[in-house]
Amino acid sequence: MNRATQRIWLTGASSGIGQALAIELLQQGHQLALSARRTEPLQALAERFPGQVLIAAGDLTSIEQVRRIGSRISQAWGALDTVILNAGNCEYVEARHFEAAMIERVLRANLLSAAYCIEAALPLLRQGTKPHLVAVGSSVTYLPLPRSAAYGASKAGLRYLMESLRLDLASEGIAVTLVSPGFVDTPLTQKNDFPMPMRWPAARAARLIARRLPRQPYEIAFPLPFICSLRLLGAMPLCLQVAIGKRLARSPAPEEANP
Ligand SMILES: NC(=O)c1ccc[n+]([C@@H]2O[C@H](COP(=O)([O-])OP(=O)(O)OC[C@H]3O[C@@H](n4cnc5c(N)ncnc54)[C@H](OP(=O)(O)O)[C@@H]3O)[C@@H](O)[C@H]2O)c1
């Protein structure tokens, strides 16, 4: 195999950041196993880049489906050089109608699915060249934000999972990178009805990620001014963070305020 050509498993490739990143990596000539529940967008990529795409569709919240995807990749390639766990979802908490089932759904979509994929991927990475495990977290982990309890908890869990695994996998030569985006314009954020400062187009985010990945950094966080602002706020005394957070929290809608 040409050293420059990698065997990459990318999840969440049917839209947004994952789809844009798939295009970047395919244009660089890599072989990609693409996962998502919707197959049509994956099929479209396979047709646009003939011979480069292995369609590995499935629901990543199901450990059985993830294991089947792992077997499919193993049969086709026998190894993986890079795994990019990007699939994810977001739901916002309404504290007045707090629902534990929603927390469970979001943790399953963003954290447990990643654990299932890592279980399937590690044996293949151990057979790969310069193996690299990558997960897309979120800049939300720098600072608690209102209504983000479910999403933030899932991404904070993912951060710890990756940062701890980094220590354990180092002796096997497997590098670990966490990607921490600010706001990116995708179907996920197009549903948001609040201001999203410094929002990047998905193609720009994908270009930056693809450019930085070969160096296998610990973290790829962007856009820089947004990340610096969050980190600055995160370093402030807790009482100030809470005061700012409370101002960002929404006042209840009139019907909620007067049930
Ligand atoms: N956009 C942002 O501002 C932003 C900021 C920080 C972090 N992120 C993170 O970036 C990642 C990509 O998000 P995005 O903004 O590009 O959103 P998106 O356009 O909604 O893409 C999400 C991708 O994940 C896949 N996915 C979701 N649940 C899945 C499941 N159960 N099984 C398999 N695939 C699943 C979706 O495919 P199917 O629906 O076809 O299954 C889709 O391809 C997420 O982890 C998100 O948390 C995004």
Side-chain angles (χ1 to χ4, degrees):
M1 192 185 62
N2 177 353
R3 175 59 201 103
T5 304
Q6 291 188 34
R7 297 155 293 188
I8 301 172
W9 179 19
L10 170 65
T11 72
S14 62
S15 73
I17 298 171
Q19 188 178 50
L21 187 56
I23 293 168
E24 278 293 318
L25 297 170
L26 287 163
Q27 281 171 342
Q28 291 178 4
H30 299 298
Q31 301 279 316
L32 260 72
L34 299 179
S35 296
R37 290 164 299 187
R38 286 167 292 163
T39 50
E40 299 81 7
L42 309 183
Q43 193 59 50
L45 287 170
E47 283 162 21
R48 183 170 161 193
F49 298 93
Q52 280 180 257
V53 171
L54 179 69
I55 294 179
D59 183 345
L60 303 176
T61 63
S62 153
I63 193 163
E64 291 81 19
Q65 292 194 35
V66 173
R67 284 182 180 149
R68 272 200 292 277
I69 289 172
S71 304
R72 179 160 164 66
I73 298 172
S74 175
Q75 277 161 19
W77 296 342
L80 279 166
D81 306 309
T82 299
V83 173
I84 307 172
L85 304 175
N86 160 77
N89 212 341
C90 180
E91 292 185 59
Y92 291 108
V93 168
E94 294 296 343
R96 284 166 180 266
H97 308 285
F98 186 86
E99 193 202 345
M102 190 262 258
I103 307 282
E104 192 174 333
R105 258 193 325 272
V106 176
L107 287 178
R108 195 169 294 288
N110 293 344
L111 179 59
L112 294 180
S113 67
Y116 302 156
C117 291
I118 291 170
E119 181 185 286
L122 279 180
L124 296 168
L125 281 173
R126 290 189 177 105
Q127 304 303 315
T129 307
K130 224 176 161 235
H132 192 189
L133 175 63
V134 182
V136 179
S138 169
S139 56
V140 76
T141 56
Y142 297 130
L143 188 75
L145 295 172
R147 298 175 68 220
S148 299
Y151 184 70
S154 71
K155 294 296 187 180
L158 184 63
R159 172 181 284 279
Y160 204 102
L161 179 78
M162 296 295 283
E163 290 183 341
S164 175
L165 267 181
R166 171 183 294 139
L167 309 177
D168 295 315
L169 294 175
S171 61
E172 297 189 66
I174 301 176
V176 174
T177 295
L178 187 66
V179 179
S180 302
F183 289 113
V184 179
D185 188 10
T186 69
L188 191 90
T189 49
Q190 279 152 16
K191 292 181 281 191
N192 292 347
D193 58 357
F194 52 82
M196 289 177 276
M198 302 182 222
R199 182 161 49 155
W200 275 19
R204 183 176 180 191
R207 267 197 309 278
L208 180 103
I209 297 168
R211 202 172 56 240
R212 298 234 180 122
L213 277 180
R215 280 179 260 152
Q216 303 189 329
Y218 291 150
E219 187 154 353
I220 301 172
F222 60 89
L224 194 59
F226 184 69
I227 300 297
C228 290
S229 315
L230 288 184
R231 287 196 160 218
L232 209 64
L233 288 168
M236 286 166 79
L238 212 47
C239 57
L240 282 176
Q241 287 184 44
V242 173
I244 294 167
K246 275 160 66 180
R247 289 186 72 98
L248 290 174
R250 288 209 181 146
S251 7
E255 69 275 17
E256 289 174 329
N258 306 294

